Amino acid sequence: MSFDFATAARIIFGDGSARQLPQLARELGSHALLVTDSFQPPSVGELIDALGETDLPFTRFPVSGEPSVEVIDQAKEAALRAGCDMVISIGGGSVIDSGKASAALIPNEGAVIDYLEIIGAGRKLDAAPLPFIALPTTAGTGAEVTKNAVLGSKAQRVKVSLRDNRMLADIALVDPALTHSVPPSVTASTGMDALTQVLEPYVTRMATPLTDGFCSEGLRRAGRSLRRVYEEPANAAARHDMALTSLLGGLALANAKLGAVHGFAGVLGGMYGAPHGAICAALLPPVIEANIKALTERQQDNPALRRYDQAAQILLDEGSADASDAIDWISETSRLLGIPGLGNYGVKAEDFAEIVSKSAAASSMKGNPIELTAEELTAILRAAL
Ligand code: NAD
């Protein structure tokens, strides 16, 4: 057995931990680019006020929606003008990815497109990114501990990653209390994203004993708290579980890859602008079904078959559960959380061929436990409509 595991230099987790931000930030730089959501919940406002009371100057860069290539180029310009030597992101996955990509681009010449996989020149970063602190305010993406930033290109109608091992945050500061204000529909979609991200790396071809441990713990916590966090938004224990599930998913996916759900998600997000978590939720049950069917027909000795059953046992906390029980539970959870099908976002059968051919090239698709045929991928989309 051999593996390679990389993560953020430091991970700090716990209710109230965000209060350490001013002191931690001062150790990493002298002028911060502070990337935030345009919408500011009170807990984030308080944090920014606390930062303002220190002697660390910062330049605000608010973003709205999932990040685009253009936004990163603008952030770089703003940071260079102000002389920023570090970046702080306080927000959901969109804000974290905006800050992470900006930290990478600021010390490197040119525009972000030059460095992008698939739609750009795929240049490697010459200079190391600026120091970067990530504070998630949603519990879903785990982006505080991943080495990529997902960016949308309106021109190409696709989302692609800027990726480099050096893009791992210097500090991931995960304070579950920051997620208490997340509205129900976002709690639902981000929660389903977190669940997907502890399930897909558990069955990939690149799973390792380290990532297995993270995924098992995440599955256990998502199983007991995903429905509860939606029903009881003020339940601190449930928010805590989901913030940890999200973090564990990030640790796992950055080192063991994902699978067909995320292979599709970047393409669908780019083409229709649907929220990432909602796309994952709609796709997760049909992807598990398709994978199990394909594995049973073509690769009965593939360990993923056994792993799906094990994942079901951990998720449902039931020793006799198998993959079909997990599919039922996930489908029912999606229904309870009010997650709509992909048709709700404008996905149409006429687009299936384009979606399938673009998704087949996505890097996450390569992590799927078995290579699915174009017919199988099309059937997944039909079932997720
Ligand atoms: P998001 O960051 O887009 O936020 C969703 C909504 O929630 C926004 O309207 C935001 O204003 C609001 N919000 C965020 N925190 C809040 C809070 N505490 N209180 C009230 N409202 C709040 O959603 P997300 O799901 O966290 O991130 C999605 C993005 O992350 C996508 O672009 C996706 O592709 C990317 N992603 C990245 C990785 C990675 O490893 N880099 C992994 C998965 C997903």
Side-chain angles (χ1 to χ4, degrees), residues 37 39 41 66-67 92-95 97 100 137-138 141 143 146 148-150 159 178-179 181-183 186 190 193 197 253 276:
D37 222 305
F39 167 74
E66 298 188 356
S94 296
V95 172
D97 278 1
K100 195 191 291 181
T137 63
T138 59
T141 70
T146 62
N148 65 308
V150 187
K159 284 163 73 172
L178 295 181
T179 67
S181 54
V182 173
V186 179
T190 51
D193 189 17
Q197 294 186 165
L253 81 89
H276 176 76

